[in-house]
Amino acid sequence: QFRKAFDYLSYPRSWHETFRDFIEIAACTVHQEPYFYGHLDKDDDYDRIEQRYLDTIKKYTREEIDLIVTLYGTSLMALRTSNEDFLGQQYMDLEVSNKYNGEFFTPNAVSRMIAKMQMHGIGSKISAQGYITLQEPACGAGVMVIEAANAIREEGHDPCVSMLFQAIDINRTCFNMAYFQLSALRLPGVVVH
């Protein structure tokens, strides 16, 4: 469903531009949710992100916006049912990554193995301290944070209350993918661009 909607959306433009715009719109949408629900008062951050959203979405027709909504919903469903790096996989499958800038995403299975090795026995540390902190300095789409959360779950703890992360990336598209995915999975932390 994601690929079909994406192909229609990208017909008049490049895959790279389409993916970049979709994930920018998705990340802006997630950022604005607390303002729309009245949990936060509208401030300069709200205005800045709203303007970024409007500048990006104005390139698209009503029919194309419907496709963006489909991509958004499909991504949310895929993330919440699989707890895997859905967008990173799409990014690599569509070949919109920039190999010349060193963008090679770690596959889910490899990230899962690394997380299990690094987080083995973390349940006892969480039981003693109440939570752990995690930093990912080149987060890509957030796969290592996602798999660390899965490893914590396997240790019998809820990562939404027992893990605090900081994820960093210099690439705006990667930052947006991580922000969207980690927010959609309700994992507490900060994503830095």
Side-chain angles (χ1 to χ4, degrees):
Q1 188 176 11
F2 183 94
R3 183 60 186 266
K4 183 177 178 183
F6 185 83
D7 286 345
Y8 283 125
L9 184 62
S10 62
Y11 179 72
R13 57 188 62 83
S14 75
W15 281 2
H16 186 269
E17 177 187 5
T18 303
F19 195 90
R20 183 191 64 227
D21 287 349
F22 155 65
I23 198 60
E24 184 76 46
I25 291 164
C28 289
T29 300
V30 168
H31 181 274
Q32 301 299 68
E33 284 181 5
Y35 296 98
F36 292 138
Y37 292 127
H39 300 301
L40 294 174
D41 293 330
K42 293 180 180 176
D43 56 11
D44 290 341
D45 280 340
Y46 170 85
D47 293 337
R48 181 177 50 82
I49 299 298
E50 192 68 12
Q51 191 58 55
R52 183 181 296 269
Y53 171 86
L54 293 171
D55 289 345
T56 306
I57 207 160
K58 73 180 177 185
K59 300 184 238 178
Y60 295 89
T61 67
R62 178 69 245 168
E63 294 77 21
E64 290 173 327
I65 292 171
D66 289 344
L67 293 169
I68 291 170
V69 170
T70 298
L71 293 174
Y72 185 93
T74 302
S75 298
L76 279 178
M77 286 188 298
L79 282 163
R80 291 182 178 164
T81 57
S82 71
N83 283 326
E84 289 186 356
D85 176 20
F86 177 74
L87 290 175
Q89 186 63 51
Q90 299 305 314
Y91 191 65
M92 294 306 288
D93 288 350
L94 290 165
E95 298 178 354
V96 291
S97 63
N98 188 341
K99 64 183 174 186
Y100 302 107
N101 285 343
E103 287 181 15
F104 299 100
F105 286 22
T106 307
N108 285 329
V110 174
S111 297
R112 187 173 301 116
M113 178 194 66
I114 292 169
K116 284 184 178 187
M117 289 170 34
Q118 291 296 312
M119 306 298 271
H120 180 71
I122 200 72
S124 60
K125 188 171 184 177
I126 293 170
S127 294
Q129 290 181 193
Y131 72 98
I132 61 154
T133 59
L134 176 110
Q135 184 185 47
E136 173 58 274
C139 68
V143 67
M144 290 302 300
V145 177
I146 292 168
E147 290 304 334
N150 289 337
I152 289 170
R153 231 178 252 108
E154 290 175 9
E155 292 270 337
H157 293 274
D158 180 357
C160 297
V161 296
S162 59
M163 175 180 80
L164 181 63
F165 73 85
Q166 181 186 52
I168 304 166
D169 208 287
I170 62 171
N171 179 294
R172 178 102 190 146
T173 300
C174 293
F175 159 78
N176 281 331
M177 284 190 287
Y179 182 80
F180 175 78
Q181 293 197 124
L182 299 172
S183 297
L185 294 171
R186 297 179 180 92
L187 298 174
V190 177
V191 183
V192 179
H193 177 239

